[in-house]
Amino acid sequence: MNISCGFICVFAVLINKVFLQDTVVEAVIGGSVVLPCSSTEQYHNLQDIHVFWRHNSSKIVHDIIPSSHSQEKQDSEYRNRTESFPEEYERGNFSIKLHNLIYADTGDYSCLISHSSEQPAVQLIIKESTAETGQEDQRITKSSSVWISSPLLWSGIVLGIVIVIVIGLILVYLRKKSSSNLSAGGHSMRSDAHEVENIMNQ
């Protein structure tokens, strides 16, 4: 038992170290955005460093390989739309800039750094360029988050369902009791009429 607890604790520490908290970045359609990726580690030999930017874990957005400036493996939808900042590599800054944003660019971006335990992640949200639509989107996001996360709301829904079920059971019980009483009353009336008929025949 202690061994499994120790394993879980070590695993949790490793996960916390490797997967950093997502950075949320908002941008407008048609514009440009910088996707941040900074490492706290020092890099003295940049030739050994490879950085792989991926979109939703699969699409190849941009690869930073100092020994090669080629982007042959880059997915076609990102061609001529990305750039990095070579002068920042020594500082551990492997951010990239994405141009001509489209709705399909929305999603999660991971920055995989070789020889590093860090894996910065970025969530990109694309919005309309008009301020009015942007405010409307913010209102929708806020109301959705309240609907999903409010425990008071869910408690009220559950309580309402329980009350409806209890009332339904009570009504069914009263209906059955009422119909059984009517049946017993009808049987009693028939018995009384039969007795009166017998008396009159005598």
Side-chain angles (χ1 to χ4, degrees), residues 91-183:
R91 298 175 187 155
N93 182 2
F94 302 107
S95 303
I96 61 170
K97 192 170 188 179
L98 186 58
H99 300 279
N100 301 322
L101 295 171
I102 57 176
Y103 282 121
D105 293 329
T106 300
D108 298 322
Y109 291 79
S110 55
C111 176
L112 310 171
I113 307 171
S114 63
H115 310 298
S116 173
S117 59
E118 298 175 328
Q119 183 179 322
V122 181
Q123 182 185 4
L124 177 60
I125 300 173
I126 306 295
K127 295 187 173 183
E128 289 283 354
S129 57
T130 60
E132 183 179 349
T133 308
Q135 291 174 359
E136 183 179 350
D137 288 346
Q138 288 176 1
R139 286 198 298 271
I140 293 171
T141 303
K142 186 176 179 183
S143 63
S144 298
S145 123
V146 169
W147 168 260
I148 293 170
S149 63
S150 173
L152 186 60
L153 179 64
W154 283 112
S155 299
I157 291 172
V158 171
L159 183 61
I161 291 171
V162 170
I163 290 173
V164 168
I165 290 172
V166 169
I167 291 174
L169 290 174
I170 291 172
L171 289 174
V172 169
Y173 172 75
L174 291 176
R175 185 174 294 173
K176 284 185 177 179
K177 188 174 180 182
S178 174
S179 65
S180 65
N181 286 343
L182 285 173
S183 175

Side-chain angles (χ1 to χ4, degrees), residues 4-20:
S4 63
C5 267
F7 177 75
I8 291 171
C9 290
V10 170
F11 185 71
V13 169
L14 288 174
I15 288 294
N16 188 38
K17 184 178 181 184
V18 173
F19 295 96
L20 303 180

